[in-house]
Amino acid sequence: MASLFRSIAILFTILCLSEQSSHARGADSFAEYVPITYKLNQKRTECIYEVFEKNDFITFSVFIVEAMNNGAPIGDIAFEGPLSGNPDIITKIEEITSGQYDNNYDGESSQKPSLGRQLKKGTTSHWPIIKDSDKKVRYDKRMGIINRSLKVDWTHAGESEDAVAARSQIEAEKREAYRNKGRGPPKIDEESVAQNDRFKAKIMSKIEPYEETSPVKAAGWYRLCVSSHYHALMVEMEIRGGNRMGGIDRRTGHVHTYESKEMLDAEKRWNEGIVEAKSKATALTEEEKRALENQVKEQDLHASKSQITHLNSMVTEIKKSHQEFHRRIRSHKASAARNYESMIWSSKLETALYIIITAVQVYTVRKWLSGNALLGK
């Protein structure tokens, strides 16, 4: 019983101290992070921008929450940079253009341009010149340009039987197309082009964001863009930096998410609270030390710390599971809506074909009967 009261007193002290430290650091915490959802209209592009320092790590994350009008959740992703904010870019551009490039902003070189004008200039003028400058260059000689673009498809993501069968069929078609590559004359019809585009797409097997991580060799502004095709999209996208988020998560190989960053900050506050509690304990008077003697032990603090760390990790896993469950529900809802729409169109088409075939049969029989002399007698 005494050990129980002792543990409760320790936990209460640490909670009070950590609450004070969390209020003092409230501006730097990522509690209750909610991802931003962007709406992309048909055949439109949405971009977000972020600045990074050299020797940092970048993780870009994209997830198509929903395709409007029962469309397919397919999007084109582009991750590019640095667009601006790096003097080496201008040097490289002058080298490529042999010094003929004009870096003035509307002829006003004396004034320092705003951030918006710098990004616009970098996007429209700088990037088209330098985006391919690292191709066919030895790795240690590269400037550090990131020019990544791909198509990602969440249509068949999930663990349902239909999704697994569709992914297996696509993989089989890919293998067959690879075996037949180079056989016979090249096909350039629309069907072949559409099939090649589908084979080049990244087919997601899980209902989760698509993420990639890259090191930053060149400081500056980077952007992440998502483009829609024939349907409007609801997209969650973000760019995370290792220096800001606490480095790379060893379990995923990507920069820590806001949830894991929150757990790291909580553990840091617990450690600071324990250190502060120990420092306050050393400042007690002799009478207070004698009164607290044998009440709070070092092993109790370690046990409490391990339990709190385990509790934080469990809370983080519960939040992650809840988020994945929410994504799965929305994805299954969208898949059911697409299947329902497909079934409605199939039913309408079958009904229309039945009516047409029936009308043709009636017309043919009547014409045959009216032209038959034997039946007319």
Side-chain angles (χ1 to χ4, degrees), residues 247-307:
I248 301 293
D249 191 343
R250 291 177 295 179
R251 296 175 299 176
T252 62
H254 302 295
V255 174
H256 283 287
T257 62
Y258 288 90
E259 291 80 6
S260 59
K261 171 64 174 175
E262 182 182 353
M263 186 183 71
L264 293 176
D265 290 342
E267 292 180 1
K268 182 179 178 181
R269 289 195 296 268
W270 285 113
N271 293 331
E272 292 176 352
I274 292 174
V275 172
E276 190 173 351
K278 289 181 179 180
S279 63
K280 287 188 176 182
T282 57
L284 297 176
T285 62
E286 294 296 332
E287 295 180 357
E288 292 174 339
K289 289 181 179 180
R290 284 194 296 269
L292 294 175
E293 188 176 0
N294 295 327
Q295 291 189 7
V296 180
K297 297 181 179 180
E298 187 73 19
Q299 56 268 28
D300 295 330
L301 293 175
H302 288 299
S304 302
K305 179 184 174 182
S306 61
Q307 292 295 328

Short mmCIF file of all heavy atoms in Angstrom, two decimals, residues 247-307:
data_model
loop_
_atom_site.label_atom_id
_atom_site.label_comp_id
_atom_site.label_asym_id
_atom_site.label_seq_id
_atom_site.Cartn_x
_atom_site.Cartn_y
_atom_site.Cartn_z
N GLY A 247 14.00 14.35 -37.21
CA GLY A 247 14.79 13.34 -37.91
C GLY A 247 13.95 12.27 -38.59
O GLY A 247 12.75 12.44 -38.83
N ILE A 248 14.60 11.14 -38.87
CA ILE A 248 13.97 10.03 -39.60
C ILE A 248 13.43 8.99 -38.61
O ILE A 248 14.11 8.62 -37.65
CB ILE A 248 14.97 9.37 -40.56
CG1 ILE A 248 15.50 10.39 -41.57
CG2 ILE A 248 14.34 8.19 -41.28
CD1 ILE A 248 14.48 10.90 -42.54
N ASP A 249 12.23 8.53 -38.87
CA ASP A 249 11.63 7.45 -38.08
C ASP A 249 12.20 6.13 -38.59
O ASP A 249 12.03 5.77 -39.76
CB ASP A 249 10.11 7.48 -38.23
CG ASP A 249 9.43 6.55 -37.24
OD1 ASP A 249 10.11 5.67 -36.67
OD2 ASP A 249 8.20 6.69 -37.03
N ARG A 250 12.88 5.39 -37.72
CA ARG A 250 13.53 4.14 -38.14
C ARG A 250 12.53 3.06 -38.53
O ARG A 250 12.86 2.17 -39.31
CB ARG A 250 14.43 3.63 -37.02
CG ARG A 250 15.67 4.48 -36.76
CD ARG A 250 16.46 3.94 -35.60
NE ARG A 250 15.72 4.04 -34.35
CZ ARG A 250 16.18 3.61 -33.17
NH1 ARG A 250 17.37 3.03 -33.10
NH2 ARG A 250 15.45 3.73 -32.08
N ARG A 251 11.32 3.15 -38.05
CA ARG A 251 10.33 2.13 -38.38
C ARG A 251 9.79 2.29 -39.80
O ARG A 251 9.47 1.30 -40.46
CB ARG A 251 9.16 2.19 -37.39
CG ARG A 251 9.56 1.87 -35.95
CD ARG A 251 8.38 2.07 -35.03
NE ARG A 251 7.93 3.46 -35.04
CZ ARG A 251 6.87 3.91 -34.40
NH1 ARG A 251 6.14 3.06 -33.68
NH2 ARG A 251 6.53 5.18 -34.45
N THR A 252 9.67 3.53 -40.27
CA THR A 252 9.09 3.78 -41.59
C THR A 252 10.11 4.19 -42.64
O THR A 252 9.86 4.03 -43.84
CB THR A 252 8.03 4.89 -41.48
OG1 THR A 252 8.65 6.11 -41.04
CG2 THR A 252 6.95 4.50 -40.49
N GLY A 253 11.27 4.72 -42.22
CA GLY A 253 12.25 5.22 -43.17
C GLY A 253 11.93 6.60 -43.69
O GLY A 253 12.62 7.10 -44.59
N HIS A 254 10.90 7.25 -43.15
CA HIS A 254 10.51 8.60 -43.56
C HIS A 254 10.64 9.54 -42.36
O HIS A 254 10.82 9.11 -41.21
CB HIS A 254 9.08 8.62 -44.08
CG HIS A 254 8.84 7.70 -45.24
ND1 HIS A 254 9.45 7.87 -46.47
CD2 HIS A 254 8.06 6.59 -45.37
CE1 HIS A 254 9.06 6.92 -47.30
NE2 HIS A 254 8.22 6.12 -46.65
N VAL A 255 10.54 10.84 -42.65
CA VAL A 255 10.58 11.84 -41.59
C VAL A 255 9.40 11.61 -40.64
O VAL A 255 8.31 11.20 -41.06
CB VAL A 255 10.54 13.25 -42.19
CG1 VAL A 255 10.42 14.31 -41.09
CG2 VAL A 255 11.78 13.51 -43.03
N HIS A 256 9.63 11.85 -39.36
CA HIS A 256 8.58 11.66 -38.36
C HIS A 256 7.31 12.41 -38.74
O HIS A 256 7.36 13.55 -39.23
CB HIS A 256 9.05 12.17 -36.99
CG HIS A 256 9.99 11.23 -36.30
ND1 HIS A 256 9.58 10.05 -35.72
CD2 HIS A 256 11.34 11.30 -36.09
CE1 HIS A 256 10.62 9.43 -35.17
NE2 HIS A 256 11.69 10.17 -35.39
N THR A 257 6.18 11.78 -38.51
CA THR A 257 4.90 12.45 -38.70
C THR A 257 4.62 13.36 -37.51
O THR A 257 5.36 13.37 -36.51
CB THR A 257 3.78 11.42 -38.83
OG1 THR A 257 3.70 10.65 -37.61
CG2 THR A 257 4.04 10.48 -40.00
N TYR A 258 3.56 14.15 -37.61
CA TYR A 258 3.22 15.05 -36.52
C TYR A 258 2.80 14.27 -35.28
O TYR A 258 3.02 14.73 -34.15
CB TYR A 258 2.09 16.00 -36.96
CG TYR A 258 2.55 17.04 -37.94
CD1 TYR A 258 2.51 16.80 -39.31
CD2 TYR A 258 3.07 18.26 -37.51
CE1 TYR A 258 2.94 17.76 -40.23
CE2 TYR A 258 3.51 19.22 -38.41
CZ TYR A 258 3.44 18.96 -39.76
OH TYR A 258 3.88 19.89 -40.67
N GLU A 259 2.20 13.10 -35.46
CA GLU A 259 1.82 12.29 -34.30
C GLU A 259 3.06 11.75 -33.57
O GLU A 259 3.13 11.81 -32.33
CB GLU A 259 0.92 11.14 -34.75
CG GLU A 259 -0.45 11.54 -35.22
CD GLU A 259 -0.44 12.04 -36.65
OE1 GLU A 259 0.63 11.96 -37.31
OE2 GLU A 259 -1.49 12.53 -37.11
N SER A 260 4.03 11.22 -34.33
CA SER A 260 5.23 10.71 -33.69
C SER A 260 6.07 11.85 -33.10
O SER A 260 6.71 11.69 -32.06
CB SER A 260 6.07 9.92 -34.69
OG SER A 260 6.44 10.72 -35.80
N LYS A 261 6.03 13.02 -33.74
CA LYS A 261 6.72 14.18 -33.18
C LYS A 261 6.10 14.60 -31.85
O LYS A 261 6.80 14.97 -30.90
CB LYS A 261 6.65 15.33 -34.18
CG LYS A 261 7.13 16.68 -33.66
CD LYS A 261 8.62 16.66 -33.31
CE LYS A 261 9.09 18.06 -32.93
NZ LYS A 261 10.49 18.07 -32.46
N GLU A 262 4.80 14.50 -31.78
CA GLU A 262 4.12 14.81 -30.52
C GLU A 262 4.54 13.84 -29.42
O GLU A 262 4.75 14.24 -28.26
CB GLU A 262 2.61 14.75 -30.73
CG GLU A 262 1.79 15.09 -29.49
CD GLU A 262 0.30 14.96 -29.74
OE1 GLU A 262 -0.08 14.74 -30.90
OE2 GLU A 262 -0.48 15.05 -28.77
N MET A 263 4.70 12.55 -29.76
CA MET A 263 5.14 11.57 -28.77
C MET A 263 6.57 11.86 -28.32
O MET A 263 6.89 11.77 -27.12
CB MET A 263 5.05 10.16 -29.36
CG MET A 263 5.37 9.06 -28.35
SD MET A 263 5.35 7.42 -29.07
CE MET A 263 6.84 7.49 -30.08
N LEU A 264 7.45 12.23 -29.26
CA LEU A 264 8.82 12.57 -28.90
C LEU A 264 8.86 13.79 -27.98
O LEU A 264 9.64 13.82 -27.01
CB LEU A 264 9.63 12.84 -30.17
CG LEU A 264 9.88 11.64 -31.10
CD1 LEU A 264 10.61 12.11 -32.35
CD2 LEU A 264 10.68 10.56 -30.39
N ASP A 265 8.05 14.78 -28.27
CA ASP A 265 8.00 15.97 -27.41
C ASP A 265 7.48 15.63 -26.02
O ASP A 265 7.96 16.18 -25.02
CB ASP A 265 7.13 17.05 -28.05
CG ASP A 265 7.76 17.66 -29.29
OD1 ASP A 265 8.98 17.50 -29.46
OD2 ASP A 265 7.03 18.29 -30.09
N ALA A 266 6.49 14.72 -25.96
CA ALA A 266 5.96 14.32 -24.66
C ALA A 266 7.02 13.61 -23.83
O ALA A 266 7.17 13.87 -22.62
CB ALA A 266 4.74 13.44 -24.84
N GLU A 267 7.78 12.70 -24.46
CA GLU A 267 8.86 12.03 -23.74
C GLU A 267 9.92 13.02 -23.27
O GLU A 267 10.46 12.88 -22.17
CB GLU A 267 9.48 10.97 -24.64
CG GLU A 267 8.55 9.80 -24.95
CD GLU A 267 9.21 8.78 -25.86
OE1 GLU A 267 10.40 8.99 -26.21
OE2 GLU A 267 8.56 7.78 -26.21
N LYS A 268 10.20 14.00 -24.10
CA LYS A 268 11.18 15.01 -23.71
C LYS A 268 10.70 15.80 -22.50
O LYS A 268 11.46 16.11 -21.58
CB LYS A 268 11.45 15.94 -24.89
CG LYS A 268 12.50 16.99 -24.62
CD LYS A 268 12.72 17.86 -25.85
CE LYS A 268 13.75 18.96 -25.57
NZ LYS A 268 13.96 19.83 -26.75
N ARG A 269 9.40 16.13 -22.50
CA ARG A 269 8.85 16.86 -21.35
C ARG A 269 8.89 16.02 -20.08
O ARG A 269 9.15 16.54 -18.99
CB ARG A 269 7.42 17.32 -21.67
CG ARG A 269 7.34 18.43 -22.71
CD ARG A 269 5.97 19.08 -22.70
NE ARG A 269 4.93 18.15 -23.09
CZ ARG A 269 4.49 17.98 -24.34
NH1 ARG A 269 5.06 18.66 -25.32
NH2 ARG A 269 3.53 17.13 -24.61
N TRP A 270 8.64 14.70 -20.23
CA TRP A 270 8.71 13.83 -19.05
C TRP A 270 10.13 13.81 -18.49
O TRP A 270 10.33 13.90 -17.26
CB TRP A 270 8.28 12.40 -19.42
CG TRP A 270 6.80 12.24 -19.60
CD1 TRP A 270 6.15 11.97 -20.74
CD2 TRP A 270 5.79 12.36 -18.59
NE1 TRP A 270 4.80 11.91 -20.53
CE2 TRP A 270 4.55 12.14 -19.21
CE3 TRP A 270 5.82 12.63 -17.22
CZ2 TRP A 270 3.34 12.17 -18.51
CZ3 TRP A 270 4.62 12.66 -16.53
CH2 TRP A 270 3.41 12.44 -17.17
N ASN A 271 11.11 13.69 -19.36
CA ASN A 271 12.50 13.67 -18.90
C ASN A 271 12.87 14.99 -18.21
O ASN A 271 13.54 14.99 -17.17
CB ASN A 271 13.44 13.42 -20.08
CG ASN A 271 13.27 12.02 -20.66
OD1 ASN A 271 12.91 11.09 -19.93
ND2 ASN A 271 13.53 11.88 -21.95
N GLU A 272 12.43 16.09 -18.80
CA GLU A 272 12.71 17.39 -18.18
C GLU A 272 12.00 17.53 -16.84
O GLU A 272 12.53 18.14 -15.90
CB GLU A 272 12.30 18.52 -19.13
CG GLU A 272 13.16 18.62 -20.38
CD GLU A 272 12.66 19.68 -21.33
OE1 GLU A 272 11.54 20.21 -21.08
OE2 GLU A 272 13.37 19.96 -22.32
N GLY A 273 10.79 16.95 -16.77
CA GLY A 273 10.06 17.01 -15.51
C GLY A 273 10.76 16.21 -14.41
O GLY A 273 10.83 16.64 -13.26
N ILE A 274 11.31 15.05 -14.79
CA ILE A 274 12.04 14.23 -13.80
C ILE A 274 13.29 14.96 -13.34
O ILE A 274 13.61 14.99 -12.14
CB ILE A 274 12.37 12.86 -14.40
CG1 ILE A 274 11.09 12.05 -14.63
CG2 ILE A 274 13.33 12.09 -13.50
CD1 ILE A 274 11.31 10.73 -15.34
N VAL A 275 14.02 15.56 -14.29
CA VAL A 275 15.23 16.30 -13.92
C VAL A 275 14.88 17.47 -13.02
O VAL A 275 15.57 17.74 -12.03
CB VAL A 275 15.95 16.78 -15.20
CG1 VAL A 275 17.09 17.71 -14.84
CG2 VAL A 275 16.47 15.59 -15.99
N GLU A 276 13.79 18.16 -13.34
CA GLU A 276 13.39 19.30 -12.51
C GLU A 276 12.96 18.84 -11.12
O GLU A 276 13.24 19.51 -10.12
CB GLU A 276 12.26 20.04 -13.21
CG GLU A 276 11.92 21.39 -12.56
CD GLU A 276 10.91 22.17 -13.38
OE1 GLU A 276 10.61 21.75 -14.51
OE2 GLU A 276 10.43 23.20 -12.88
N ALA A 277 12.28 17.68 -11.07
CA ALA A 277 11.87 17.16 -9.75
C ALA A 277 13.08 16.80 -8.91
O ALA A 277 13.12 17.05 -7.69
CB ALA A 277 10.95 15.96 -9.93
N LYS A 278 14.11 16.22 -9.55
CA LYS A 278 15.33 15.89 -8.81
C LYS A 278 16.05 17.14 -8.33
O LYS A 278 16.57 17.18 -7.22
CB LYS A 278 16.26 15.07 -9.71
CG LYS A 278 15.78 13.66 -9.97
CD LYS A 278 16.78 12.92 -10.84
CE LYS A 278 16.33 11.49 -11.09
NZ LYS A 278 17.30 10.75 -11.94
N SER A 279 16.08 18.17 -9.17
CA SER A 279 16.74 19.41 -8.77
C SER A 279 16.02 20.07 -7.61
O SER A 279 16.64 20.65 -6.71
CB SER A 279 16.84 20.37 -9.95
OG SER A 279 15.54 20.73 -10.40
N LYS A 280 14.68 20.00 -7.62
CA LYS A 280 13.93 20.57 -6.50
C LYS A 280 14.15 19.74 -5.22
O LYS A 280 14.15 20.30 -4.12
CB LYS A 280 12.44 20.63 -6.84
CG LYS A 280 12.10 21.71 -7.85
CD LYS A 280 10.59 21.85 -8.01
CE LYS A 280 10.26 23.01 -8.93
NZ LYS A 280 8.80 23.21 -9.08
N ALA A 281 14.32 18.43 -5.41
CA ALA A 281 14.53 17.59 -4.23
C ALA A 281 15.86 17.90 -3.56
O ALA A 281 15.99 17.80 -2.33
CB ALA A 281 14.46 16.11 -4.62
N THR A 282 16.85 18.29 -4.33
CA THR A 282 18.16 18.62 -3.75
C THR A 282 18.14 19.96 -3.00
O THR A 282 19.04 20.22 -2.19
CB THR A 282 19.23 18.68 -4.85
OG1 THR A 282 18.83 19.63 -5.85
CG2 THR A 282 19.40 17.32 -5.51
N ALA A 283 17.14 20.78 -3.29
CA ALA A 283 17.06 22.10 -2.65
C ALA A 283 16.23 22.09 -1.37
O ALA A 283 15.97 23.14 -0.80
CB ALA A 283 16.49 23.12 -3.64
N LEU A 284 15.81 20.91 -0.91
CA LEU A 284 15.00 20.84 0.31
C LEU A 284 15.86 21.00 1.54
O LEU A 284 17.07 20.78 1.54
CB LEU A 284 14.27 19.49 0.35
CG LEU A 284 13.26 19.21 -0.78
CD1 LEU A 284 12.71 17.80 -0.64
CD2 LEU A 284 12.14 20.23 -0.78
N THR A 285 15.21 21.37 2.64
CA THR A 285 15.89 21.48 3.92
C THR A 285 16.12 20.10 4.51
O THR A 285 15.59 19.10 4.02
CB THR A 285 15.07 22.35 4.88
OG1 THR A 285 13.80 21.69 5.11
CG2 THR A 285 14.82 23.73 4.29
N GLU A 286 16.90 20.05 5.58
CA GLU A 286 17.20 18.76 6.20
C GLU A 286 15.95 18.10 6.75
O GLU A 286 15.79 16.88 6.67
CB GLU A 286 18.24 18.95 7.31
CG GLU A 286 19.60 19.39 6.82
CD GLU A 286 20.24 18.34 5.93
OE1 GLU A 286 19.94 17.13 6.11
OE2 GLU A 286 21.03 18.70 5.03
N GLU A 287 15.05 18.89 7.34
CA GLU A 287 13.83 18.33 7.90
C GLU A 287 12.95 17.74 6.79
O GLU A 287 12.37 16.66 6.95
CB GLU A 287 13.06 19.39 8.67
CG GLU A 287 13.79 19.91 9.90
CD GLU A 287 12.98 20.96 10.63
OE1 GLU A 287 11.88 21.31 10.13
OE2 GLU A 287 13.44 21.43 11.69
N GLU A 288 12.84 18.47 5.65
CA GLU A 288 12.04 17.96 4.54
C GLU A 288 12.67 16.71 3.94
O GLU A 288 11.96 15.78 3.53
CB GLU A 288 11.90 19.04 3.46
CG GLU A 288 11.05 20.24 3.92
CD GLU A 288 11.05 21.35 2.90
OE1 GLU A 288 11.99 21.38 2.07
OE2 GLU A 288 10.14 22.20 2.92
N LYS A 289 14.01 16.66 3.88
CA LYS A 289 14.67 15.47 3.37
C LYS A 289 14.43 14.28 4.28
O LYS A 289 14.21 13.16 3.80
CB LYS A 289 16.17 15.72 3.22
CG LYS A 289 16.53 16.67 2.08
CD LYS A 289 18.04 16.85 1.98
CE LYS A 289 18.39 17.77 0.83
NZ LYS A 289 19.86 17.96 0.69
N ARG A 290 14.48 14.50 5.59
CA ARG A 290 14.21 13.39 6.51
C ARG A 290 12.77 12.91 6.40
O ARG A 290 12.49 11.73 6.52
CB ARG A 290 14.52 13.82 7.95
CG ARG A 290 16.01 13.87 8.27
CD ARG A 290 16.23 13.95 9.76
NE ARG A 290 15.68 15.18 10.32
CZ ARG A 290 16.35 16.32 10.46
NH1 ARG A 290 17.63 16.38 10.08
NH2 ARG A 290 15.78 17.40 10.96
N ALA A 291 11.83 13.87 6.14
CA ALA A 291 10.43 13.48 6.01
C ALA A 291 10.17 12.68 4.73
O ALA A 291 9.31 11.79 4.71
CB ALA A 291 9.54 14.73 6.03
N LEU A 292 10.93 13.00 3.67
CA LEU A 292 10.75 12.31 2.39
C LEU A 292 11.68 11.13 2.20
O LEU A 292 11.67 10.49 1.16
CB LEU A 292 10.97 13.30 1.23
CG LEU A 292 9.95 14.44 1.11
CD1 LEU A 292 10.36 15.39 0.00
CD2 LEU A 292 8.55 13.88 0.84
N GLU A 293 12.50 10.84 3.23
CA GLU A 293 13.46 9.75 3.10
C GLU A 293 12.73 8.42 2.94
O GLU A 293 11.77 8.12 3.64
CB GLU A 293 14.35 9.71 4.34
CG GLU A 293 15.50 8.74 4.22
CD GLU A 293 16.43 8.80 5.44
OE1 GLU A 293 16.14 9.60 6.35
OE2 GLU A 293 17.41 8.06 5.44
N ASN A 294 13.19 7.64 2.00
CA ASN A 294 12.65 6.32 1.69
C ASN A 294 11.22 6.35 1.15
O ASN A 294 10.52 5.34 1.13
CB ASN A 294 12.69 5.40 2.92
CG ASN A 294 14.11 5.12 3.36
OD1 ASN A 294 15.03 5.04 2.53
ND2 ASN A 294 14.31 4.98 4.66
N GLN A 295 10.72 7.53 0.72
CA GLN A 295 9.39 7.62 0.13
C GLN A 295 9.45 7.60 -1.40
O GLN A 295 8.60 7.00 -2.05
CB GLN A 295 8.67 8.88 0.61
CG GLN A 295 8.29 8.83 2.07
CD GLN A 295 7.39 9.99 2.47
OE1 GLN A 295 6.96 10.74 1.61
NE2 GLN A 295 7.12 10.13 3.75
N VAL A 296 10.41 8.32 -1.96
CA VAL A 296 10.58 8.36 -3.41
C VAL A 296 11.94 7.77 -3.74
O VAL A 296 12.97 8.29 -3.33
CB VAL A 296 10.48 9.80 -3.95
CG1 VAL A 296 10.67 9.80 -5.46
CG2 VAL A 296 9.14 10.42 -3.57
N LYS A 297 11.95 6.66 -4.49
CA LYS A 297 13.19 5.99 -4.84
C LYS A 297 13.46 6.12 -6.33
O LYS A 297 12.56 6.37 -7.14
CB LYS A 297 13.10 4.51 -4.45
CG LYS A 297 12.95 4.29 -2.95
CD LYS A 297 12.91 2.81 -2.63
CE LYS A 297 12.78 2.59 -1.13
NZ LYS A 297 12.74 1.15 -0.79
N GLU A 298 14.71 5.93 -6.66
CA GLU A 298 15.13 6.08 -8.07
C GLU A 298 14.45 5.04 -8.96
O GLU A 298 14.03 5.34 -10.08
CB GLU A 298 16.65 5.94 -8.17
CG GLU A 298 17.21 6.24 -9.54
CD GLU A 298 17.19 7.71 -9.85
OE1 GLU A 298 17.09 8.53 -8.91
OE2 GLU A 298 17.24 8.05 -11.06
N GLN A 299 14.31 3.82 -8.48
CA GLN A 299 13.69 2.79 -9.30
C GLN A 299 12.21 3.08 -9.56
O GLN A 299 11.66 2.69 -10.60
CB GLN A 299 13.84 1.41 -8.67
CG GLN A 299 13.32 1.29 -7.24
CD GLN A 299 14.42 1.56 -6.22
OE1 GLN A 299 15.35 2.30 -6.51
NE2 GLN A 299 14.29 0.94 -5.06
N ASP A 300 11.57 3.79 -8.60
CA ASP A 300 10.17 4.17 -8.83
C ASP A 300 10.07 5.15 -10.01
O ASP A 300 9.14 5.06 -10.83
CB ASP A 300 9.58 4.80 -7.57
CG ASP A 300 9.50 3.80 -6.42
OD1 ASP A 300 9.34 2.60 -6.71
OD2 ASP A 300 9.61 4.22 -5.26
N LEU A 301 11.00 6.09 -10.08
CA LEU A 301 10.99 7.05 -11.18
C LEU A 301 11.22 6.36 -12.51
O LEU A 301 10.56 6.67 -13.51
CB LEU A 301 12.06 8.12 -10.96
CG LEU A 301 11.84 9.07 -9.77
CD1 LEU A 301 13.03 9.99 -9.61
CD2 LEU A 301 10.57 9.88 -9.97
N HIS A 302 12.15 5.41 -12.57
CA HIS A 302 12.41 4.70 -13.81
C HIS A 302 11.20 3.86 -14.23
O HIS A 302 10.85 3.82 -15.42
CB HIS A 302 13.64 3.81 -13.65
CG HIS A 302 14.93 4.56 -13.59
ND1 HIS A 302 15.37 5.36 -14.64
CD2 HIS A 302 15.88 4.67 -12.62
CE1 HIS A 302 16.53 5.91 -14.32
NE2 HIS A 302 16.86 5.51 -13.10
N ALA A 303 10.57 3.21 -13.27
CA ALA A 303 9.39 2.41 -13.60
C ALA A 303 8.26 3.29 -14.11
O ALA A 303 7.58 2.96 -15.09
CB ALA A 303 8.94 1.62 -12.38
N SER A 304 8.06 4.43 -13.47
CA SER A 304 7.01 5.35 -13.90
C SER A 304 7.31 5.89 -15.29
O SER A 304 6.42 6.01 -16.14
CB SER A 304 6.87 6.51 -12.91
OG SER A 304 6.58 6.04 -11.62
N LYS A 305 8.57 6.21 -15.54
CA LYS A 305 8.96 6.73 -16.85
C LYS A 305 8.71 5.70 -17.95
O LYS A 305 8.19 6.04 -19.03
CB LYS A 305 10.44 7.13 -16.83
CG LYS A 305 10.95 7.65 -18.16
CD LYS A 305 12.43 7.93 -18.11
CE LYS A 305 12.95 8.32 -19.49
NZ LYS A 305 14.42 8.57 -19.48
N SER A 306 9.06 4.44 -17.70
CA SER A 306 8.85 3.41 -18.72
C SER A 306 7.36 3.19 -18.98
O SER A 306 6.94 3.01 -20.14
CB SER A 306 9.50 2.10 -18.29
OG SER A 306 8.92 1.63 -17.08
N GLN A 307 6.55 3.25 -17.94
CA GLN A 307 5.12 3.08 -18.11
C GLN A 307 4.51 4.24 -18.90
O GLN A 307 3.65 4.04 -19.77
CB GLN A 307 4.43 2.96 -16.74
CG GLN A 307 4.75 1.68 -15.99
CD GLN A 307 4.21 0.46 -16.71
OE1 GLN A 307 3.18 0.51 -17.38
NE2 GLN A 307 4.92 -0.66 -16.59
#
